[in-house]
Amino acid sequence: DGGITQSPKYLFRKEGQNVTLSCEQNLNHDAMYWYRQDPGQGLRLIYYSQIVNDFQKGDIAEGYSVSREKKESFPLTVTSAQKNPTAFYLCASGTSGSTGELFFGEGSRLTVL
Amino acid sequence: GQNIDQPTEMTATEGAIVQINCTYQTSGFNGLFWYQQHAGEAPTFLSYNVLDGLEEKGRFSSFLSRSKGYSYLLLKELQMKDSASYLCAVRDNYGQNFVFGPGTRLSVLP
């Protein structure tokens, strides 16, 4: 079945460590996105990519990095520079055709100990 | 700037009708989306409006007024499983970015 797969679902990290969240899609979508969601808040955009080997910063990119070497994959690295990384991270993909809604992965919950 | 407002919480009774409002002020507009998100899960797409008017989809309807920067999501015949957060999102002119509102947490009571 087509969809978006995020891993891991839960992740614990010590302060000062970098962690990488995986996001893979087999929907053949060009665009991929990373959002962060904090309790009681909406989704805030971290990074997005419209095509392979190209990506743009969103509203809260500081302390995060991404790569887009393949159309299907858009991993997010949470670096030690991110001061408050504990959050729920959502990856999404979308197409420019028809409605163009976003399809979301199941999310990754990162907790910094 | 980009700003989307929604009520933080709403409560309704099973079988009733509820309307969740969304107002937006964005630098561009290329469609308004509603998503449903159950606690701890991914948002799922509910509806899309790009022209003024009402779009109906079963128990769910969504309305848009572009001149007023206003939309609402109407849920009829409420069921317990409708208890969730409802996110309003606007897509920009270039279709590249989506701005999300804070979400409205709906509780459906028996």
Side-chain angles (χ1 to χ4, degrees), chain A residues 33 35 37 41-43 45 48 50 88 90 99-102 104-106 109, chain B residues 33 35 37 40-43 45 48 87 91 95-98 100-103:
Chain A
Y33 305 77
Y35 289 91
Q37 187 174 35
Q41 296 190 31
L43 279 62
L45 182 65
Y48 66 99
Q50 294 292 314
F88 188 49
L90 286 161
T99 307
E101 75 270 24
L102 294 179
F104 286 87
E106 292 297 309
R109 187 168 298 279
Chain B
F33 298 76
Y35 288 84
Q37 185 181 26
E41 298 182 7
F45 170 70
Y48 164 73
L87 310 177
R91 183 172 57 190
Q96 294 183 355
N97 195 5
F98 292 74
F100 282 82

PDB file of all heavy atoms in Angstrom, chain A residues 33 35 37 41-43 45 48 50 88 90 99-102 104-106 109, chain B residues 33 35 37 40-43 45 48 87 91 95-98 100-103:
ATOM      1  N   TYR A  33       7.775  17.444   3.503  1.00  0.00           N
ATOM      2  CA  TYR A  33       7.787  18.467   4.551  1.00  0.00           C
ATOM      3  C   TYR A  33       8.111  17.834   5.901  1.00  0.00           C
ATOM      4  O   TYR A  33       7.752  16.678   6.152  1.00  0.00           O
ATOM      5  CB  TYR A  33       6.410  19.136   4.672  1.00  0.00           C
ATOM      6  CG  TYR A  33       5.860  19.732   3.403  1.00  0.00           C
ATOM      7  CD1 TYR A  33       5.293  18.924   2.410  1.00  0.00           C
ATOM      8  CD2 TYR A  33       5.870  21.101   3.203  1.00  0.00           C
ATOM      9  CE1 TYR A  33       4.774  19.471   1.257  1.00  0.00           C
ATOM     10  CE2 TYR A  33       5.347  21.656   2.044  1.00  0.00           C
ATOM     11  CZ  TYR A  33       4.804  20.847   1.079  1.00  0.00           C
ATOM     12  OH  TYR A  33       4.292  21.387  -0.064  1.00  0.00           O
ATOM     13  N   TYR A  35       7.303  18.883   9.951  1.00  0.00           N
ATOM     14  CA  TYR A  35       6.631  19.776  10.889  1.00  0.00           C
ATOM     15  C   TYR A  35       6.950  19.346  12.313  1.00  0.00           C
ATOM     16  O   TYR A  35       7.166  18.172  12.603  1.00  0.00           O
ATOM     17  CB  TYR A  35       5.110  19.750  10.707  1.00  0.00           C
ATOM     18  CG  TYR A  35       4.621  20.398   9.447  1.00  0.00           C
ATOM     19  CD1 TYR A  35       4.448  19.664   8.280  1.00  0.00           C
ATOM     20  CD2 TYR A  35       4.322  21.755   9.418  1.00  0.00           C
ATOM     21  CE1 TYR A  35       3.986  20.269   7.117  1.00  0.00           C
ATOM     22  CE2 TYR A  35       3.851  22.361   8.260  1.00  0.00           C
ATOM     23  CZ  TYR A  35       3.694  21.607   7.119  1.00  0.00           C
ATOM     24  OH  TYR A  35       3.244  22.209   5.974  1.00  0.00           O
ATOM     25  N   GLN A  37       5.255  19.606  16.236  1.00  0.00           N
ATOM     26  CA  GLN A  37       4.022  19.916  16.954  1.00  0.00           C
ATOM     27  C   GLN A  37       4.291  19.815  18.446  1.00  0.00           C
ATOM     28  O   GLN A  37       4.753  18.789  18.949  1.00  0.00           O
ATOM     29  CB  GLN A  37       2.897  18.958  16.564  1.00  0.00           C
ATOM     30  CG  GLN A  37       1.540  19.341  17.143  1.00  0.00           C
ATOM     31  CD  GLN A  37       0.427  18.462  16.622  1.00  0.00           C
ATOM     32  OE1 GLN A  37       0.613  17.278  16.380  1.00  0.00           O
ATOM     33  NE2 GLN A  37      -0.748  19.041  16.442  1.00  0.00           N
ATOM     34  N   GLN A  41      -0.456  23.149  20.457  1.00  0.00           N
ATOM     35  CA  GLN A  41      -0.101  24.078  19.382  1.00  0.00           C
ATOM     36  C   GLN A  41      -0.303  23.434  18.019  1.00  0.00           C
ATOM     37  O   GLN A  41      -0.375  22.213  17.900  1.00  0.00           O
ATOM     38  CB  GLN A  41       1.355  24.521  19.531  1.00  0.00           C
ATOM     39  CG  GLN A  41       1.631  25.309  20.795  1.00  0.00           C
ATOM     40  CD  GLN A  41       3.014  25.927  20.774  1.00  0.00           C
ATOM     41  OE1 GLN A  41       3.535  26.269  19.719  1.00  0.00           O
ATOM     42  NE2 GLN A  41       3.606  26.087  21.942  1.00  0.00           N
ATOM     43  N   GLY A  42      -0.357  24.291  17.023  1.00  0.00           N
ATOM     44  CA  GLY A  42      -0.473  23.794  15.658  1.00  0.00           C
ATOM     45  C   GLY A  42       0.856  23.293  15.133  1.00  0.00           C
ATOM     46  O   GLY A  42       1.856  23.254  15.843  1.00  0.00           O
ATOM     47  N   LEU A  43       0.870  22.928  13.874  1.00  0.00           N
ATOM     48  CA  LEU A  43       2.077  22.429  13.227  1.00  0.00           C
ATOM     49  C   LEU A  43       2.938  23.603  12.763  1.00  0.00           C
ATOM     50  O   LEU A  43       2.442  24.539  12.143  1.00  0.00           O
ATOM     51  CB  LEU A  43       1.706  21.567  12.013  1.00  0.00           C
ATOM     52  CG  LEU A  43       1.307  20.121  12.270  1.00  0.00           C
ATOM     53  CD1 LEU A  43       0.059  20.022  13.125  1.00  0.00           C
ATOM     54  CD2 LEU A  43       1.111  19.394  10.961  1.00  0.00           C
ATOM     55  N   LEU A  45       6.387  24.601  10.531  1.00  0.00           N
ATOM     56  CA  LEU A  45       7.209  24.053   9.456  1.00  0.00           C
ATOM     57  C   LEU A  45       8.690  24.189   9.768  1.00  0.00           C
ATOM     58  O   LEU A  45       9.173  25.279  10.080  1.00  0.00           O
ATOM     59  CB  LEU A  45       6.883  24.785   8.149  1.00  0.00           C
ATOM     60  CG  LEU A  45       7.616  24.310   6.902  1.00  0.00           C
ATOM     61  CD1 LEU A  45       7.221  22.879   6.550  1.00  0.00           C
ATOM     62  CD2 LEU A  45       7.319  25.245   5.731  1.00  0.00           C
ATOM     63  N   TYR A  48      11.164  22.121   4.062  1.00  0.00           N
ATOM     64  CA  TYR A  48      10.424  21.452   3.009  1.00  0.00           C
ATOM     65  C   TYR A  48      11.278  21.344   1.758  1.00  0.00           C
ATOM     66  O   TYR A  48      12.255  22.082   1.588  1.00  0.00           O
ATOM     67  CB  TYR A  48       9.085  22.140   2.714  1.00  0.00           C
ATOM     68  CG  TYR A  48       9.179  23.530   2.126  1.00  0.00           C
ATOM     69  CD1 TYR A  48       9.046  23.743   0.758  1.00  0.00           C
ATOM     70  CD2 TYR A  48       9.337  24.635   2.952  1.00  0.00           C
ATOM     71  CE1 TYR A  48       9.092  25.008   0.221  1.00  0.00           C
ATOM     72  CE2 TYR A  48       9.394  25.917   2.422  1.00  0.00           C
ATOM     73  CZ  TYR A  48       9.266  26.102   1.065  1.00  0.00           C
ATOM     74  OH  TYR A  48       9.319  27.366   0.540  1.00  0.00           O
ATOM     75  N   GLN A  50      10.874  20.589  -2.567  1.00  0.00           N
ATOM     76  CA  GLN A  50       9.993  20.422  -3.721  1.00  0.00           C
ATOM     77  C   GLN A  50      10.556  19.437  -4.739  1.00  0.00           C
ATOM     78  O   GLN A  50       9.802  18.831  -5.501  1.00  0.00           O
ATOM     79  CB  GLN A  50       9.777  21.779  -4.406  1.00  0.00           C
ATOM     80  CG  GLN A  50       9.011  22.777  -3.555  1.00  0.00           C
ATOM     81  CD  GLN A  50       7.561  22.375  -3.343  1.00  0.00           C
ATOM     82  OE1 GLN A  50       6.858  21.981  -4.262  1.00  0.00           O
ATOM     83  NE2 GLN A  50       7.097  22.454  -2.110  1.00  0.00           N
ATOM     84  N   PHE A  88       6.742  16.347  19.057  1.00  0.00           N
ATOM     85  CA  PHE A  88       6.192  15.364  18.126  1.00  0.00           C
ATOM     86  C   PHE A  88       6.522  15.859  16.723  1.00  0.00           C
ATOM     87  O   PHE A  88       6.184  16.991  16.369  1.00  0.00           O
ATOM     88  CB  PHE A  88       4.673  15.275  18.348  1.00  0.00           C
ATOM     89  CG  PHE A  88       3.977  14.182  17.607  1.00  0.00           C
ATOM     90  CD1 PHE A  88       4.437  12.886  17.634  1.00  0.00           C
ATOM     91  CD2 PHE A  88       2.818  14.443  16.899  1.00  0.00           C
ATOM     92  CE1 PHE A  88       3.778  11.860  16.964  1.00  0.00           C
ATOM     93  CE2 PHE A  88       2.137  13.440  16.220  1.00  0.00           C
ATOM     94  CZ  PHE A  88       2.627  12.149  16.258  1.00  0.00           C
ATOM     95  N   LEU A  90       6.325  15.439  12.607  1.00  0.00           N
ATOM     96  CA  LEU A  90       5.497  14.883  11.543  1.00  0.00           C
ATOM     97  C   LEU A  90       6.118  15.156  10.184  1.00  0.00           C
ATOM     98  O   LEU A  90       6.484  16.280   9.877  1.00  0.00           O
ATOM     99  CB  LEU A  90       4.096  15.496  11.581  1.00  0.00           C
ATOM    100  CG  LEU A  90       3.184  15.011  12.706  1.00  0.00           C
ATOM    101  CD1 LEU A  90       2.049  15.987  12.933  1.00  0.00           C
ATOM    102  CD2 LEU A  90       2.630  13.627  12.375  1.00  0.00           C
ATOM    103  N   THR A  99      -6.295  18.460  -5.739  1.00  0.00           N
ATOM    104  CA  THR A  99      -6.441  19.117  -4.456  1.00  0.00           C
ATOM    105  C   THR A  99      -5.094  19.476  -3.849  1.00  0.00           C
ATOM    106  O   THR A  99      -4.934  20.547  -3.261  1.00  0.00           O
ATOM    107  CB  THR A  99      -7.215  18.207  -3.488  1.00  0.00           C
ATOM    108  OG1 THR A  99      -8.424  17.816  -4.105  1.00  0.00           O
ATOM    109  CG2 THR A  99      -7.518  18.931  -2.194  1.00  0.00           C
ATOM    110  N   GLY A 100      -4.159  18.580  -3.980  1.00  0.00           N
ATOM    111  CA  GLY A 100      -2.822  18.860  -3.455  1.00  0.00           C
ATOM    112  C   GLY A 100      -2.718  18.826  -1.955  1.00  0.00           C
ATOM    113  O   GLY A 100      -1.890  19.520  -1.380  1.00  0.00           O
ATOM    114  N   GLU A 101      -3.583  18.011  -1.309  1.00  0.00           N
ATOM    115  CA  GLU A 101      -3.493  17.960   0.144  1.00  0.00           C
ATOM    116  C   GLU A 101      -2.241  17.229   0.586  1.00  0.00           C
ATOM    117  O   GLU A 101      -1.612  16.512  -0.179  1.00  0.00           O
ATOM    118  CB  GLU A 101      -4.734  17.271   0.733  1.00  0.00           C
ATOM    119  CG  GLU A 101      -4.770  15.752   0.558  1.00  0.00           C
ATOM    120  CD  GLU A 101      -5.449  15.324  -0.727  1.00  0.00           C
ATOM    121  OE1 GLU A 101      -5.484  16.135  -1.686  1.00  0.00           O
ATOM    122  OE2 GLU A 101      -5.926  14.186  -0.771  1.00  0.00           O
ATOM    123  N   LEU A 102      -1.897  17.432   1.852  1.00  0.00           N
ATOM    124  CA  LEU A 102      -0.738  16.763   2.423  1.00  0.00           C
ATOM    125  C   LEU A 102      -1.139  15.410   2.988  1.00  0.00           C
ATOM    126  O   LEU A 102      -2.236  15.246   3.528  1.00  0.00           O
ATOM    127  CB  LEU A 102      -0.136  17.605   3.549  1.00  0.00           C
ATOM    128  CG  LEU A 102       0.484  18.946   3.156  1.00  0.00           C
ATOM    129  CD1 LEU A 102       1.015  19.661   4.388  1.00  0.00           C
ATOM    130  CD2 LEU A 102       1.586  18.744   2.131  1.00  0.00           C
ATOM    131  N   PHE A 104       0.283  12.615   5.741  1.00  0.00           N
ATOM    132  CA  PHE A 104       1.200  12.605   6.868  1.00  0.00           C
ATOM    133  C   PHE A 104       1.625  11.194   7.260  1.00  0.00           C
ATOM    134  O   PHE A 104       0.859  10.234   7.137  1.00  0.00           O
ATOM    135  CB  PHE A 104       0.537  13.255   8.095  1.00  0.00           C
ATOM    136  CG  PHE A 104       0.424  14.743   8.001  1.00  0.00           C
ATOM    137  CD1 PHE A 104      -0.662  15.338   7.386  1.00  0.00           C
ATOM    138  CD2 PHE A 104       1.423  15.560   8.517  1.00  0.00           C
ATOM    139  CE1 PHE A 104      -0.769  16.719   7.292  1.00  0.00           C
ATOM    140  CE2 PHE A 104       1.323  16.938   8.430  1.00  0.00           C
ATOM    141  CZ  PHE A 104       0.228  17.519   7.815  1.00  0.00           C
ATOM    142  N   GLY A 105       2.852  11.109   7.772  1.00  0.00           N
ATOM    143  CA  GLY A 105       3.296   9.893   8.414  1.00  0.00           C
ATOM    144  C   GLY A 105       2.723   9.817   9.814  1.00  0.00           C
ATOM    145  O   GLY A 105       2.023  10.728  10.266  1.00  0.00           O
ATOM    146  N   GLU A 106       3.025   8.715  10.533  1.00  0.00           N
ATOM    147  CA  GLU A 106       2.451   8.488  11.849  1.00  0.00           C
ATOM    148  C   GLU A 106       3.120   9.318  12.936  1.00  0.00           C
ATOM    149  O   GLU A 106       2.637   9.381  14.056  1.00  0.00           O
ATOM    150  CB  GLU A 106       2.556   7.005  12.216  1.00  0.00           C
ATOM    151  CG  GLU A 106       1.674   6.102  11.354  1.00  0.00           C
ATOM    152  CD  GLU A 106       0.204   6.430  11.547  1.00  0.00           C
ATOM    153  OE1 GLU A 106      -0.251   6.482  12.711  1.00  0.00           O
ATOM    154  OE2 GLU A 106      -0.496   6.647  10.543  1.00  0.00           O
ATOM    155  N   ARG A 109       7.960  10.690  18.116  1.00  0.00           N
ATOM    156  CA  ARG A 109       7.973  11.469  19.366  1.00  0.00           C
ATOM    157  C   ARG A 109       9.365  11.415  19.953  1.00  0.00           C
ATOM    158  O   ARG A 109       9.840  10.348  20.353  1.00  0.00           O
ATOM    159  CB  ARG A 109       6.941  10.924  20.350  1.00  0.00           C
ATOM    160  CG  ARG A 109       6.787  11.800  21.581  1.00  0.00           C
ATOM    161  CD  ARG A 109       5.580  11.423  22.407  1.00  0.00           C
ATOM    162  NE  ARG A 109       4.325  11.575  21.690  1.00  0.00           N
ATOM    163  CZ  ARG A 109       3.685  12.716  21.524  1.00  0.00           C
ATOM    164  NH1 ARG A 109       4.192  13.826  22.037  1.00  0.00           N
ATOM    165  NH2 ARG A 109       2.530  12.756  20.881  1.00  0.00           N
TER     166      ARG A 109
ATOM    167  N   PHE B  33      -7.589  24.106   3.880  1.00  0.00           N
ATOM    168  CA  PHE B  33      -7.727  22.690   4.171  1.00  0.00           C
ATOM    169  C   PHE B  33      -8.151  22.484   5.614  1.00  0.00           C
ATOM    170  O   PHE B  33      -7.762  23.238   6.506  1.00  0.00           O
ATOM    171  CB  PHE B  33      -6.376  21.978   3.965  1.00  0.00           C
ATOM    172  CG  PHE B  33      -5.855  22.032   2.552  1.00  0.00           C
ATOM    173  CD1 PHE B  33      -5.286  23.189   2.053  1.00  0.00           C
ATOM    174  CD2 PHE B  33      -5.942  20.928   1.732  1.00  0.00           C
ATOM    175  CE1 PHE B  33      -4.809  23.250   0.749  1.00  0.00           C
ATOM    176  CE2 PHE B  33      -5.461  20.978   0.433  1.00  0.00           C
ATOM    177  CZ  PHE B  33      -4.899  22.131  -0.057  1.00  0.00           C
ATOM    178  N   TYR B  35      -8.093  19.374   8.544  1.00  0.00           N
ATOM    179  CA  TYR B  35      -7.569  18.067   8.903  1.00  0.00           C
ATOM    180  C   TYR B  35      -8.126  17.671  10.255  1.00  0.00           C
ATOM    181  O   TYR B  35      -8.374  18.516  11.113  1.00  0.00           O
ATOM    182  CB  TYR B  35      -6.034  18.089   8.997  1.00  0.00           C
ATOM    183  CG  TYR B  35      -5.330  18.186   7.671  1.00  0.00           C
ATOM    184  CD1 TYR B  35      -5.135  19.423   7.054  1.00  0.00           C
ATOM    185  CD2 TYR B  35      -4.864  17.051   7.025  1.00  0.00           C
ATOM    186  CE1 TYR B  35      -4.489  19.516   5.842  1.00  0.00           C
ATOM    187  CE2 TYR B  35      -4.218  17.140   5.801  1.00  0.00           C
ATOM    188  CZ  TYR B  35      -4.036  18.375   5.219  1.00  0.00           C
ATOM    189  OH  TYR B  35      -3.401  18.457   4.010  1.00  0.00           O
ATOM    190  N   GLN B  37      -7.213  15.334  13.630  1.00  0.00           N
ATOM    191  CA  GLN B  37      -6.081  14.678  14.275  1.00  0.00           C
ATOM    192  C   GLN B  37      -6.505  14.108  15.627  1.00  0.00           C
ATOM    193  O   GLN B  37      -6.827  14.875  16.544  1.00  0.00           O
ATOM    194  CB  GLN B  37      -4.907  15.646  14.458  1.00  0.00           C
ATOM    195  CG  GLN B  37      -3.658  14.990  15.022  1.00  0.00           C
ATOM    196  CD  GLN B  37      -2.511  15.961  15.219  1.00  0.00           C
ATOM    197  OE1 GLN B  37      -2.698  17.165  15.398  1.00  0.00           O
ATOM    198  NE2 GLN B  37      -1.283  15.439  15.198  1.00  0.00           N
ATOM    199  N   GLY B  40      -2.082  11.941  19.536  1.00  0.00           N
ATOM    200  CA  GLY B  40      -0.930  11.090  19.306  1.00  0.00           C
ATOM    201  C   GLY B  40      -0.840  10.487  17.925  1.00  0.00           C
ATOM    202  O   GLY B  40       0.032   9.655  17.665  1.00  0.00           O
ATOM    203  N   GLU B  41      -1.740  10.897  17.033  1.00  0.00           N
ATOM    204  CA  GLU B  41      -1.751  10.327  15.685  1.00  0.00           C
ATOM    205  C   GLU B  41      -1.484  11.402  14.639  1.00  0.00           C
ATOM    206  O   GLU B  41      -1.395  12.586  14.940  1.00  0.00           O
ATOM    207  CB  GLU B  41      -3.096   9.652  15.413  1.00  0.00           C
ATOM    208  CG  GLU B  41      -3.381   8.491  16.357  1.00  0.00           C
ATOM    209  CD  GLU B  41      -4.708   7.813  16.031  1.00  0.00           C
ATOM    210  OE1 GLU B  41      -5.326   8.160  15.006  1.00  0.00           O
ATOM    211  OE2 GLU B  41      -5.117   6.945  16.805  1.00  0.00           O
ATOM    212  N   ALA B  42      -1.339  10.965  13.398  1.00  0.00           N
ATOM    213  CA  ALA B  42      -1.107  11.898  12.299  1.00  0.00           C
ATOM    214  C   ALA B  42      -2.404  12.568  11.875  1.00  0.00           C
ATOM    215  O   ALA B  42      -3.482  11.980  11.971  1.00  0.00           O
ATOM    216  CB  ALA B  42      -0.508  11.143  11.114  1.00  0.00           C
ATOM    217  N   PRO B  43      -2.347  13.797  11.400  1.00  0.00           N
ATOM    218  CA  PRO B  43      -3.538  14.441  10.837  1.00  0.00           C
ATOM    219  C   PRO B  43      -3.998  13.718   9.585  1.00  0.00           C
ATOM    220  O   PRO B  43      -3.178  13.213   8.806  1.00  0.00           O
ATOM    221  CB  PRO B  43      -3.040  15.851  10.488  1.00  0.00           C
ATOM    222  CG  PRO B  43      -1.796  16.047  11.282  1.00  0.00           C
ATOM    223  CD  PRO B  43      -1.185  14.693  11.403  1.00  0.00           C
ATOM    224  N   PHE B  45      -6.684  14.187   6.174  1.00  0.00           N
ATOM    225  CA  PHE B  45      -7.353  15.196   5.361  1.00  0.00           C
ATOM    226  C   PHE B  45      -8.866  15.036   5.414  1.00  0.00           C
ATOM    227  O   PHE B  45      -9.391  13.929   5.286  1.00  0.00           O
ATOM    228  CB  PHE B  45      -6.859  15.062   3.923  1.00  0.00           C
ATOM    229  CG  PHE B  45      -7.617  15.863   2.915  1.00  0.00           C
ATOM    230  CD1 PHE B  45      -7.516  17.247   2.895  1.00  0.00           C
ATOM    231  CD2 PHE B  45      -8.428  15.242   1.981  1.00  0.00           C
ATOM    232  CE1 PHE B  45      -8.210  17.992   1.958  1.00  0.00           C
ATOM    233  CE2 PHE B  45      -9.116  15.979   1.034  1.00  0.00           C
ATOM    234  CZ  PHE B  45      -9.010  17.352   1.025  1.00  0.00           C
ATOM    235  N   TYR B  48     -11.339  20.479   1.477  1.00  0.00           N
ATOM    236  CA  TYR B  48     -10.558  21.479   0.761  1.00  0.00           C
ATOM    237  C   TYR B  48     -11.500  22.478   0.116  1.00  0.00           C
ATOM    238  O   TYR B  48     -12.493  22.091  -0.511  1.00  0.00           O
ATOM    239  CB  TYR B  48      -9.725  20.766  -0.309  1.00  0.00           C
ATOM    240  CG  TYR B  48      -9.145  21.629  -1.397  1.00  0.00           C
ATOM    241  CD1 TYR B  48      -8.085  22.475  -1.127  1.00  0.00           C
ATOM    242  CD2 TYR B  48      -9.628  21.563  -2.704  1.00  0.00           C
ATOM    243  CE1 TYR B  48      -7.525  23.251  -2.136  1.00  0.00           C
ATOM    244  CE2 TYR B  48      -9.066  22.317  -3.708  1.00  0.00           C
ATOM    245  CZ  TYR B  48      -8.009  23.162  -3.420  1.00  0.00           C
ATOM    246  OH  TYR B  48      -7.453  23.915  -4.418  1.00  0.00           O
ATOM    247  N   LEU B  87      -7.708  20.846  12.549  1.00  0.00           N
ATOM    248  CA  LEU B  87      -6.703  21.817  12.136  1.00  0.00           C
ATOM    249  C   LEU B  87      -7.129  22.495  10.846  1.00  0.00           C
ATOM    250  O   LEU B  87      -7.496  21.829   9.873  1.00  0.00           O
ATOM    251  CB  LEU B  87      -5.357  21.138  11.909  1.00  0.00           C
ATOM    252  CG  LEU B  87      -4.834  20.216  13.009  1.00  0.00           C
ATOM    253  CD1 LEU B  87      -3.518  19.577  12.585  1.00  0.00           C
ATOM    254  CD2 LEU B  87      -4.653  20.970  14.296  1.00  0.00           C
ATOM    255  N   ARG B  91      -2.877  27.197   2.195  1.00  0.00           N
ATOM    256  CA  ARG B  91      -1.744  26.995   1.292  1.00  0.00           C
ATOM    257  C   ARG B  91      -1.440  28.312   0.596  1.00  0.00           C
ATOM    258  O   ARG B  91      -2.340  29.043   0.200  1.00  0.00           O
ATOM    259  CB  ARG B  91      -2.078  25.907   0.272  1.00  0.00           C
ATOM    260  CG  ARG B  91      -0.921  25.568  -0.670  1.00  0.00           C
ATOM    261  CD  ARG B  91      -1.246  24.358  -1.519  1.00  0.00           C
ATOM    262  NE  ARG B  91      -2.462  24.545  -2.292  1.00  0.00           N
ATOM    263  CZ  ARG B  91      -3.077  23.579  -2.958  1.00  0.00           C
ATOM    264  NH1 ARG B  91      -2.589  22.346  -2.929  1.00  0.00           N
ATOM    265  NH2 ARG B  91      -4.160  23.818  -3.651  1.00  0.00           N
ATOM    266  N   GLY B  95       1.728  27.296  -3.803  1.00  0.00           N
ATOM    267  CA  GLY B  95       1.420  25.903  -3.527  1.00  0.00           C
ATOM    268  C   GLY B  95       2.542  25.154  -2.863  1.00  0.00           C
ATOM    269  O   GLY B  95       2.581  23.925  -2.877  1.00  0.00           O
ATOM    270  N   GLN B  96       3.478  25.919  -2.256  1.00  0.00           N
ATOM    271  CA  GLN B  96       4.633  25.253  -1.682  1.00  0.00           C
ATOM    272  C   GLN B  96       4.570  25.147  -0.171  1.00  0.00           C
ATOM    273  O   GLN B  96       5.211  24.297   0.421  1.00  0.00           O
ATOM    274  CB  GLN B  96       5.905  26.027  -2.057  1.00  0.00           C
ATOM    275  CG  GLN B  96       6.217  25.997  -3.525  1.00  0.00           C
ATOM    276  CD  GLN B  96       7.520  26.712  -3.831  1.00  0.00           C
ATOM    277  OE1 GLN B  96       8.138  27.300  -2.963  1.00  0.00           O
ATOM    278  NE2 GLN B  96       7.940  26.647  -5.081  1.00  0.00           N
ATOM    279  N   ASN B  97       3.831  26.026   0.434  1.00  0.00           N
ATOM    280  CA  ASN B  97       3.856  26.066   1.889  1.00  0.00           C
ATOM    281  C   ASN B  97       2.442  26.059   2.441  1.00  0.00           C
ATOM    282  O   ASN B  97       1.531  26.648   1.870  1.00  0.00           O
ATOM    283  CB  ASN B  97       4.589  27.329   2.355  1.00  0.00           C
ATOM    284  CG  ASN B  97       4.965  27.256   3.813  1.00  0.00           C
ATOM    285  OD1 ASN B  97       4.774  26.231   4.461  1.00  0.00           O
ATOM    286  ND2 ASN B  97       5.497  28.346   4.335  1.00  0.00           N
ATOM    287  N   PHE B  98       2.270  25.365   3.556  1.00  0.00           N
ATOM    288  CA  PHE B  98       0.999  25.298   4.251  1.00  0.00           C
ATOM    289  C   PHE B  98       1.191  25.920   5.631  1.00  0.00           C
ATOM    290  O   PHE B  98       2.114  25.542   6.350  1.00  0.00           O
ATOM    291  CB  PHE B  98       0.550  23.842   4.428  1.00  0.00           C
ATOM    292  CG  PHE B  98       0.185  23.146   3.151  1.00  0.00           C
ATOM    293  CD1 PHE B  98       1.164  22.742   2.260  1.00  0.00           C
ATOM    294  CD2 PHE B  98      -1.142  22.878   2.843  1.00  0.00           C
ATOM    295  CE1 PHE B  98       0.838  22.083   1.082  1.00  0.00           C
ATOM    296  CE2 PHE B  98      -1.484  22.218   1.665  1.00  0.00           C
ATOM    297  CZ  PHE B  98      -0.497  21.823   0.783  1.00  0.00           C
ATOM    298  N   PHE B 100      -0.514  26.327   9.295  1.00  0.00           N
ATOM    299  CA  PHE B 100      -1.530  25.675  10.108  1.00  0.00           C
ATOM    300  C   PHE B 100      -1.972  26.560  11.259  1.00  0.00           C
ATOM    301  O   PHE B 100      -1.165  27.271  11.865  1.00  0.00           O
ATOM    302  CB  PHE B 100      -0.988  24.362  10.678  1.00  0.00           C
ATOM    303  CG  PHE B 100      -0.970  23.238   9.684  1.00  0.00           C
ATOM    304  CD1 PHE B 100       0.064  23.106   8.777  1.00  0.00           C
ATOM    305  CD2 PHE B 100      -2.002  22.310   9.651  1.00  0.00           C
ATOM    306  CE1 PHE B 100       0.071  22.073   7.856  1.00  0.00           C
ATOM    307  CE2 PHE B 100      -2.005  21.276   8.734  1.00  0.00           C
ATOM    308  CZ  PHE B 100      -0.962  21.158   7.829  1.00  0.00           C
ATOM    309  N   GLY B 101      -3.241  26.491  11.582  1.00  0.00           N
ATOM    310  CA  GLY B 101      -3.754  27.119  12.782  1.00  0.00           C
ATOM    311  C   GLY B 101      -3.430  26.269  13.998  1.00  0.00           C
ATOM    312  O   GLY B 101      -2.916  25.154  13.860  1.00  0.00           O
ATOM    313  N   PRO B 102      -3.755  26.749  15.195  1.00  0.00           N
ATOM    314  CA  PRO B 102      -3.418  26.034  16.429  1.00  0.00           C
ATOM    315  C   PRO B 102      -4.250  24.789  16.673  1.00  0.00           C
ATOM    316  O   PRO B 102      -3.894  23.964  17.508  1.00  0.00           O
ATOM    317  CB  PRO B 102      -3.679  27.079  17.516  1.00  0.00           C
ATOM    318  CG  PRO B 102      -4.693  27.985  16.918  1.00  0.00           C
ATOM    319  CD  PRO B 102      -4.391  28.054  15.451  1.00  0.00           C
ATOM    320  N   GLY B 103      -5.360  24.639  15.930  1.00  0.00           N
ATOM    321  CA  GLY B 103      -6.215  23.476  16.124  1.00  0.00           C
ATOM    322  C   GLY B 103      -7.299  23.722  17.158  1.00  0.00           C
ATOM    323  O   GLY B 103      -7.109  24.496  18.113  1.00  0.00           O
TER     324      GLY B 103
END
